[in-house]
Amino acid sequence: AQRLATEIKGHGSIPEFAVHVGPWAGALEKIVSDLKEGDVLLTLGAGDISKAGPEVILRLSQKNNGK
């Protein structure tokens, strides 16, 4: 995954959006901290990726309730 992010950074018009954040906890933290109102999160993959959407919603809800 890190190599893929590095390769993406070397090409295209928006390479700064390619980041490697490591295991799930880091990825979820990064997603929740970067999402802004009106953003759309699309997850694609296999396996545990199906857990990402509900977990992001839960964390965003907790974040917003903490305001």
Side-chain angles (χ1 to χ4, degrees), residues 24-62:
W24 268 108
L28 292 171
E29 247 179 67
K30 177 76 172 146
I31 292 167
V32 171
S33 70
D34 285 359
L35 282 176
K36 299 180 289 292
E37 187 172 341
D39 284 352
V40 174
L41 174 64
L42 173 66
T43 59
L44 301 171
D48 287 349
I49 194 66
S50 64
K51 298 176 184 176
E55 185 63 27
V56 168
I57 290 169
L58 175 65
R59 289 179 185 220
L60 286 171
S61 176
Q62 292 170 341

